[in-house]
Amino acid sequence: MDDKRGRRVVFSSLSFIFLFLPALLAAYFLLGAGSIKIKNLILLVFSIGFYACGGLRFLPALAASVVFNYLFGLLVSNKNPGKTRKTAIFCATAFNLGLLVWFKYIGFFAEIVNSLNIKGLKIPVPTVVLPIGISFYTFQGMSYVFDVYYGNAKAERNIFKVALYILLFPQLVAGPIVRYHTIAEQISCRKETLEGFSQGFMRFLFGLAKKVLLANQLGRIADAAFSAPAAELSAGMAWLGVISYTFQLYFDFSGYSDMAIGMGRAFGFSFPENFNYPYISQSITEFWRRWHMSLSTWFRDYLYIPLGGSRVVLWKQIRNLLVVWTLTGFWHGAAWNFLLWGLFYAVLLIGERYIWGKAVAKLPGFFRHVYALFFICIGWLLFRSGSVQQISAFLSAMFGSGKAGGWDGQATYYLLEFRWELLIALLASLPPKKAVHSFLERREERLWANFLLNWGAPALSLILGFFSVMRLITSSFNPFIYFQF
């Protein structure tokens, strides 16, 4: 979404915080008071406006997704004959995947065909502009149709409710991927409370701080490392770049999810959690139970289990994992590094399940944690790199085979310049909340502990929100990584 300076109006932009959000809150709570229909209409209009700011040319694809998934939902309802339902679910899947293939993958497939140099076959590579968030809203549309087909939700006859489900602006362009059956009742009947609004606002501010104060700053290190010729990187700078990107991606995406969940809470919606401290994992299997949980469960419920899951013979179990993780990688982008990233995790997960998982489980917790973090960092290297050549050169640098040696002045500069962000990122990726709360509860009779229990989180969120706004005013570096998906 673009503001007047040509930059995207995201949750962490001044135009969103000081223009869009206040206008929406005023309209929602003043004009919509007492009427859920008017509130839903206001949310729908503002959601369309939010998306349209990114370019009116993206609206037709979004409108087609809403209309066709609404119609498919009616056709797959159990009130229709079985043949009609099966035909409709096939057409719904073909339509949604076709939408993704055309906008996201058609150029990639055309380039592959042309690279084969088949005599007489030359496919023109179309120039297709990728609609913002198409992977997310397409999966939400499919989720609605699948839920109706499997009997987990009733077919909605009011197209505006389906539209609000798909277009609801907090989760429209970067998730979390919300299932229709989890918020269907909230669309028709929900109640906003002062407590819910205040908690949602705090969650938004904490997410904003994750994004602006941590992800954006660590992104500078990652960009410096990944934009430099990999052959010129020292081992220290290569590792610093990968570790910084590991933190950047987490705080960028989890920060966005926090802001989305917080805004949903303020308007009476309960969105699912998307992250659960993934970097404390002690295995790759555990990591994927904690990272981007709405996507993982989507593939599990709508692809892995229908393929047979782990209830089939061994070779089919391995096939199912390969299919799911190949498509998970491909979902993130039409590029070889994403496919390699998906296959990388498929191999690790298959290995943990059938080969070395029991041996890893016997290791002390510290070594299990190191094992998981090592492969997570390598995975993010595959994810971030622009080519197989860059991956190879980066790995060479990381393990001491690069020309620049083990450490250099560039690594020293970035480590010292961003030392506090790196330290805070490390601490913020850990789950100290329960321990701190328990510590304060044991000292609740003391004035300072009582104050922190009741006012610590609100005060901290306001302080972080203030510094986040100050950072936005003074800096123009504000990318959102997951908007490309």
Side-chain angles (χ1 to χ4, degrees), residues 103-166:
F103 283 105
K104 197 166 184 177
Y105 305 112
I106 190 65
F108 181 69
F109 290 145
E111 289 177 356
I112 291 176
V113 172
N114 291 338
S115 68
L116 297 175
N117 295 319
I118 300 174
K119 187 176 181 180
L121 182 60
K122 188 70 174 179
I123 300 176
V125 179
T127 302
V128 181
V129 180
L130 181 66
I132 299 169
I134 188 171
S135 295
F136 288 94
Y137 70 69
T138 299
F139 268 32
Q140 290 221 158
M142 293 175 73
S143 174
Y144 164 68
V145 178
F146 290 157
D147 280 351
V148 174
Y149 180 78
Y150 290 119
N152 296 323
K154 294 182 179 179
E156 180 55 65
R157 296 195 170 276
N158 186 337
I159 190 173
F160 293 105
K161 290 184 178 180
V162 176
L164 182 60
Y165 159 67
I166 295 177

Side-chain angles (χ1 to χ4, degrees), residues 302-318:
Y302 298 131
L303 184 59
Y304 182 68
I305 291 177
L307 285 173
S310 57
R311 303 184 307 274
V312 293
V313 296
L314 180 59
W315 76 266
K316 287 187 177 181
Q317 294 178 38
I318 295 173

Side-chain angles (χ1 to χ4, degrees), residues 221-228 233 238 241-242 245 380-381 384-385 390 394:
I221 307 176
D223 284 358
F226 281 93
S227 62
L233 288 175
V242 171
Y245 183 70
W380 290 138
L381 167 62
R384 176 65 168 79
S385 296
Q390 186 178 30
F394 238 93

Side-chain angles (χ1 to χ4, degrees), residues 3 5 7-19 21 204-205 207-217 220 252 259 463-480:
D3 64 15
R5 291 167 294 179
R7 292 188 303 164
R8 204 167 275 168
V9 181
V10 295
F11 295 166
S12 59
S13 68
L14 296 174
S15 50
F16 177 85
I17 296 170
F18 292 109
L19 294 177
L21 193 55
F204 177 87
L205 291 178
L208 180 67
K210 278 185 176 182
K211 164 63 185 158
V212 176
L213 301 180
L214 292 178
N216 284 1
Q217 297 304 100
R220 296 178 184 276
D252 184 281
M259 288 186 275
I463 292 170
L464 291 175
F466 173 78
F467 282 109
S468 297
V469 170
M470 292 299 101
R471 176 71 69 179
L472 288 173
I473 292 173
T474 59
S475 175
S476 60
F477 185 76
N478 191 26
F480 247 126

Side-chain angles (χ1 to χ4, degrees), residues 75-338:
L75 292 172
V76 301
S77 170
N78 55 19
K79 295 181 180 179
N80 295 318
K83 187 175 182 179
T84 300
R85 297 178 68 233
K86 289 181 179 179
T87 302
I89 197 68
F90 173 82
C91 292
T93 304
F95 166 77
N96 283 290
L97 294 181
L99 200 66
L100 273 180
V101 167
W102 172 253
F103 283 105
K104 197 166 184 177
Y105 305 112
I106 190 65
F108 181 69
F109 290 145
E111 289 177 356
I112 291 176
V113 172
N114 291 338
S115 68
L116 297 175
N117 295 319
I118 300 174
K119 187 176 181 180
L121 182 60
K122 188 70 174 179
I123 300 176
V125 179
T127 302
V128 181
V129 180
L130 181 66
I132 299 169
I134 188 171
S135 295
F136 288 94
Y137 70 69
T138 299
F139 268 32
Q140 290 221 158
M142 293 175 73
S143 174
Y144 164 68
V145 178
F146 290 157
D147 280 351
V148 174
Y149 180 78
Y150 290 119
N152 296 323
K154 294 182 179 179
E156 180 55 65
R157 296 195 170 276
N158 186 337
I159 190 173
F160 293 105
K161 290 184 178 180
V162 176
L164 182 60
Y165 159 67
I166 295 177
L167 303 181
L168 194 57
F169 80 93
Q171 43 75 45
L172 173 59
V173 295
I177 301 171
V178 181
R179 309 290 184 86
Y180 183 71
H181 68 266
T182 63
I183 66 166
E185 186 176 343
Q186 297 168 32
I187 291 175
S188 301
C189 181
R190 65 183 180 277
K191 185 177 181 181
E192 305 83 2
T193 64
L194 181 60
E195 180 185 7
F197 183 87
S198 62
Q199 289 181 353
F201 186 66
M202 281 194 298
R203 184 75 178 265
F204 177 87
L205 291 178
F206 279 122
L208 180 67
K210 278 185 176 182
K211 164 63 185 158
V212 176
L213 301 180
L214 292 178
N216 284 1
Q217 297 304 100
L218 297 175
R220 296 178 184 276
I221 307 176
D223 284 358
F226 281 93
S227 62
E232 299 177 8
L233 288 175
S234 65
M237 188 61 195
W239 275 105
L240 191 58
V242 171
I243 291 171
S244 296
Y245 183 70
T246 297
F247 282 131
Q248 179 198 6
L249 192 63
Y250 170 60
F251 289 110
D252 184 281
F253 196 16
S254 70
Y256 187 98
S257 293
D258 285 341
M259 288 186 275
I261 292 169
M263 282 186 289
R265 183 74 185 275
F267 293 110
F269 290 96
S270 179
F271 294 158
E273 294 295 333
N274 214 17
F275 293 88
N276 183 22
Y277 297 102
Y279 293 156
I280 68 170
S281 300
Q282 296 185 356
S283 70
I284 299 303
T285 303
E286 182 185 358
F287 172 72
W288 279 105
R289 293 189 185 123
R290 294 175 175 274
W291 178 276
H292 202 345
M293 295 184 290
S294 64
L295 179 66
S296 299
T297 54
W298 196 100
F299 274 107
R300 181 197 66 196
D301 294 346
Y302 298 131
L303 184 59
Y304 182 68
I305 291 177
L307 285 173
S310 57
R311 303 184 307 274
V312 293
V313 296
L314 180 59
W315 76 266
K316 287 187 177 181
Q317 294 178 38
I318 295 173
R319 177 207 64 186
N320 295 344
L321 287 169
L322 285 170
V323 168
V324 166
W325 285 97
T326 299
L327 293 178
T328 299
F330 206 40
W331 178 87
H332 283 85
W336 291 111
N337 66 302
F338 292 121

